[in-house]
Amino acid sequence: MTRMKEGFLWGGATAANQFEGAWDVDGKGPSVSDMCTNGTHTEAKWITKTIKEDRLYPSHEAIDFYHHYKEDIKLFAEMGFKTFRFSIAWTRIFPTGMEETANEKGLEFYENVIDECLKYGIEPLITISHYEMPYALIERCNGWEGRECIEYFQRYVHAIMDRFAGKVKYWLTFNEINAGTMPMGNVLSTGTVQGYEGPINKVKDDPRARFQALHHQFVASAEAVKWVHEHYPNVLMGNMICFLTSYPYSCNPEDVLKAQQQMQICNWLCSDVMVRGYYPGYAKRYFKDNNIEIKMEAGDEEILAEGTVDFYTFSYYMSSCVSTDPTLEQTDGNISVGLKNPYLEASDWGWQIDPKGLRYTLNEIWDRYQIPVMVVENGLGARDEIAEDGKIHDSYRIDYLRKHIKEMEEAVEDGVDLMGYTPWGCIDLVSASTGEMAKRYGFIYVEKYDDGTGSLARRKKDSFDWYKKVIETNGEDID
Ligand code: BGP
């Protein structure tokens, strides 16, 4: 097989709210994720306005990376990680988002994590905002609908950059920013849920507020990118898109056009703004057709144009189909639902497995933007069992990852400039969509269960040694 280029960033990905725990330790404030209870595949998790004694909030302890980071990073180093993607919890640095000065304890924690990575030659890749906006900002101004969030965000960005830009080269502004183009984005992404309590899939959607919030995120991101470029020229700033690959269900031109429109609004809109620096024509038409009026202030367009990103990153788990036929069967998926593809199998959570779709997607992205690309999430959420020999034989996970790496290598042969690959949840962590622990992605098993119990002990799965070999051979040996 293909060897990846010299310096290819093999690693793994996580997010603060899904694995750190210590949700109220050392001055940390509650984030939107800290207000979410657990759920299941069939029963949606809730967001509550206050913490309810009789409910379980999985982010509060999660897998307690906060107190296990040395042990965990050592295991990542043993696998040979070149990079480790994690996020900084905004609320560790600014507990409500609105403070004037940063919380030193929060900065210290991330400094320790960064130093621990560097000790092993692991390059940190940091997401600045990964479904972790301060809950206080949701209460104050309906999350990102409030323009003032742009200023609070800059304060946060300056604080972490002034402290860490000398040590960390790769940064992403907003995780899966395109979640804001879909109703599911209201809770974790745009935070447009002021006063709401209930299941996260029952939020009353107001597309006008949601797209206004998204506009504020674009401006906040571009302002941050521009400022960082001016102050820390060695730092590279990336976007992050939840890539929802959509195929036309049939060759009926109606289906083809509908699939194209879906790809435009759900996938391309955000990266067109962040990579090219302006809203594309199809977005303006979509806003007009849907009575969405974005309130822009003088200077917004200039900021978008001046704060374009250096590299493009995305998550890729699955694909689905689009059709004008309303009778076709739906499938579950990441953030949105689509139609079942008769050629594909699905995970236990209904996400359709499509390795070739990754090659297709990489080519589409590269053709469109011609800037370095990185796959910063990919993986199989599955139930793992500890076997009688005390091990976890996760051949299904190896199979999923192998097939995706193979297609990634095909894409490189096609000419795509691929920087790296960080499979999701390299250590088991809380599921973003359901709050479950049972939906595991890791190379490392964590003894933590859906009812909140578990010793938190770590064990290597079979995939641990397999991935170690993949990295050692720079992608040449994936068998
Ligand atoms: C992405 C998120 C992650 C992550 C992943 C897997 O959308 O960026 O935070 O959790 O999906 O999803 P889930 O945890 O729902 O299986």
Side-chain angles (χ1 to χ4, degrees), residues 88-190:
I88 292 183
W90 186 348
T91 50
R92 276 199 203 286
I93 314 300
F94 291 97
T96 67
M98 293 173 272
E99 291 78 4
E100 292 288 334
T101 47
N103 172 27
E104 178 56 30
K105 283 268 179 216
L107 289 168
E108 260 170 34
F109 170 66
Y110 292 107
E111 184 135 64
N112 292 339
V113 170
I114 291 167
D115 287 345
E116 199 65 18
C117 289
L118 296 175
K119 182 171 119 188
Y120 295 105
I122 299 174
E123 188 93 56
L125 165 62
I126 302 184
T127 317
I128 297 173
S129 181
H130 191 136
Y131 299 158
E132 280 139 358
M133 97 171 304
Y135 188 70
L137 292 179
I138 292 177
E139 287 176 309
R140 180 176 165 88
C141 53
N142 199 26
W144 278 98
E145 194 192 359
R147 193 169 169 107
E148 62 196 281
C149 287
I150 299 174
E151 194 191 317
Y152 300 135
F153 187 74
Q154 301 317 308
R155 204 178 289 168
Y156 163 50
V157 170
H158 296 186
I160 56 177
M161 286 293 171
D162 285 343
R163 186 74 166 244
F164 305 130
K167 296 182 175 185
V168 180
K169 185 171 172 193
Y170 300 105
W171 297 79
L172 311 176
T173 52
F174 290 91
N175 180 65
E176 298 190 333
I177 192 168
N178 58 321
T181 65
M182 292 162 265
M184 256 328 248
N186 274 308
V187 180
L188 295 181
S189 188
T190 53

Side-chain angles (χ1 to χ4, degrees), residues 18 130 175-176 317 334 351 377 424 431-433 439 441:
Q18 290 171 258
H130 191 136
N175 180 65
E176 298 190 333
Y317 293 90
N334 194 6
W351 295 19
E377 284 185 33
W424 176 250
S431 156
S433 57
K439 191 180 187 191
Y441 287 87

Side-chain angles (χ1 to χ4, degrees), residues 36 118 155 165 179 184 203 208 225 227 250 254 307 317 355 362 376 384 400 415 426 429 444 447:
C36 290
L118 296 175
R155 204 178 289 168
M184 256 328 248
V203 176
R208 194 204 49 81
V225 170
W227 184 87
S250 76
E254 297 277 359
Y317 293 90
L362 279 163
V376 295
D384 292 331
Y400 177 102
C426 45
L429 39 63
I444 300 162
E447 290 184 24

Side-chain angles (χ1 to χ4, degrees), residues 15-36:
N17 73 86
Q18 290 171 258
F19 87 143
E20 278 180 6
W23 76 293
D24 60 354
V25 170
D26 290 337
K28 183 181 172 302
S31 75
V32 58
S33 288
D34 293 326
M35 306 307 285
C36 290

Side-chain angles (χ1 to χ4, degrees), residues 10 75 117 134 146 227 233 242 246 282 307 317 327-328 332 336 374 460 463:
W10 294 100
L75 286 166
C117 289
W227 184 87
C242 173
S246 303
Y282 61 78
Y317 293 90
T327 63
L328 293 165
D332 279 343
S336 75
M374 183 161 173
K460 298 173 197 171
S463 54

